[in-house]
Amino acid sequence: MKSHVVTCRGVKKDYGSEASLVHALRGVELEARAGELLMLVGPSGCGKTTLLSIITGILHQDSGSCKVFDEEINHLTEREKTLFRKNHIGFVFQTLHLIPSITAIENVMIPLILNEVDKEEAYDRSVKMLTRMGLAHRIDALPSHMSGGEQQRVAICRSCVHEPQLIVCDEPTSTLDHETGSEVMKLMRELVVNESNTLIVVTHDTRIYGFADRILRMDDGEIIGELKNSH
Ligand SMILES: Nc1ncnc2c1ncn2[C@@H]1O[C@H](COP(=O)(O)OP(=O)(O)O)[C@@H](O)[C@H]1O
Ligand SMILES: [Mg+2]
């Protein structure tokens, strides 16, 4: 029996108030197991990004429990959360959040520098990661000089370069063509298998379902079932 990296129980989250109240999450039950690639799929607006934000401690749920590596993430102070993320979690936001004024490699180096990895080593590890993602020739480019797909791959490199135990990706292939999307998922799949970490991927992209160990369907703020279970 594999241990659980993420356990959500009855997670609820509303936005707004009174007339404009939105029930974004209505009691989410979810487990992510160590070493698996778990996909979360569902229509736009069903609460996927909200759920990822709670799992990563960016948002606080209104009720219910969300444990990540046995820590009730929202019981941590802001400072503890920052430390926890820095050490254990990598993410790719839907809106990438690359820093526009620095190069691709400098963006990728950020988590390593934050973790006080020596600068030379941080550089070498970042080159390796960018090379794996097919971006060896683009390391010195500014994000604004890169295509959407290249930027997405830089964001993915930044999320995994410090080898976090949990990587969370919000629509990582949405701007990639089929071939690049598959290539990126293949590399991410290898990270999970080889380095025994866990990956949660939110996606709309049916073309990448084959890379998942499990696929959970989400609708209207709830997990409503499982699409496939190959293990
Ligand atoms: N900051 C916010 N304020 C108000 N409503 C929000 C906010 N963020 C998301 N929502 C609403 O919550 C619901 C879930 O949104 P979201 O988690 O972004 O869904 P998804 O990622 O599946 O598209 C949607 O109805 C959305 O409009
Ligand atoms: Mg979203």
Side-chain angles (χ1 to χ4, degrees):
M1 176 86 185
K2 285 182 174 179
S3 57
H4 293 160
V5 168
V6 179
T7 310
C8 294
R9 293 280 172 258
V11 171
K12 293 187 181 172
K13 175 73 188 171
D14 292 341
Y15 291 110
S17 60
E18 293 172 15
S20 63
L21 194 67
V22 177
H23 299 297
L25 300 178
R26 298 171 183 265
V28 168
E29 303 286 326
L30 170 146
E31 282 139 20
R33 302 166 188 158
E36 77 172 343
L37 196 162
L38 178 67
M39 281 187 192
L40 271 179
V41 305
S44 178
C46 75
K48 303 180 298 294
T49 297
T50 303
L51 182 56
L52 290 189
S53 304
I54 289 171
I55 290 171
T56 51
I58 293 167
L59 264 186
H60 204 308
Q61 70 268 32
D62 297 331
S63 60
S65 155
C66 179
K67 285 192 175 169
V68 182
F69 303 116
D70 281 330
E71 284 280 357
E72 189 69 50
I73 185 121
N74 284 299
H75 287 178
L76 302 176
T77 63
E78 283 309 316
R79 194 185 148 77
E80 286 168 339
K81 271 193 239 180
T82 305
L83 260 177
F84 188 77
R85 280 196 290 261
K86 178 172 80 110
N87 294 325
H88 302 298
I89 304 180
F91 27 26
V92 181
F93 297 94
Q94 210 164 353
T95 45
L96 302 187
H97 291 308
L98 292 176
I99 299 178
S101 55
I102 61 176
T103 62
I105 189 149
E106 288 165 339
N107 269 283
V108 175
M109 285 167 69
I110 290 171
L112 296 172
I113 300 295
L114 288 176
N115 279 300
E116 288 165 20
V117 173
D118 167 79
K119 213 164 174 193
E120 227 165 274
E121 187 192 332
Y123 186 89
D124 291 345
R125 283 170 64 178
S126 301
V127 170
K128 253 188 214 147
M129 189 54 77
L130 284 160
T131 304
R132 276 175 87 170
M133 287 285 172
L135 291 173
H137 60 301
R138 302 295 277 145
I139 62 173
D140 292 323
L142 289 172
S144 59
H145 295 168
M146 304 180 96
S147 69
E150 288 175 336
Q151 290 180 34
Q152 190 118 18
R153 279 180 284 159
V154 172
I156 290 169
C157 289
R158 187 182 55 184
S159 76
C160 352
V161 73
H162 56 311
E163 296 175 14
Q165 292 157 279
L166 173 64
I167 303 170
V168 171
C169 303
D170 204 349
E171 315 253 10
T173 61
S174 58
T175 63
L176 304 179
D177 62 66
H178 182 46
E179 200 176 321
T180 315
S182 295
E183 193 53 35
V184 163
M185 285 310 299
K186 204 170 130 225
L187 292 166
M188 297 196 88
R189 174 82 256 175
E190 282 170 18
L191 289 175
V192 172
V193 174
N194 297 343
E195 286 147 41
S196 75
N197 42 24
T198 304
L199 191 52
I200 302 179
V201 176
V202 157
T203 189
H204 257 96
D205 186 354
T206 54
R207 301 170 305 183
I208 65 169
Y209 283 9
F211 290 98
D213 292 312
R214 288 195 303 141
I215 302 176
L216 298 180
R217 285 172 60 217
M218 208 174 161
D219 200 6
D220 200 14
E222 285 181 292
I223 306 286
I224 54 167
E226 195 164 322
L227 211 61
K228 158 190 155 184
N229 191 346
S230 56
H231 293 284

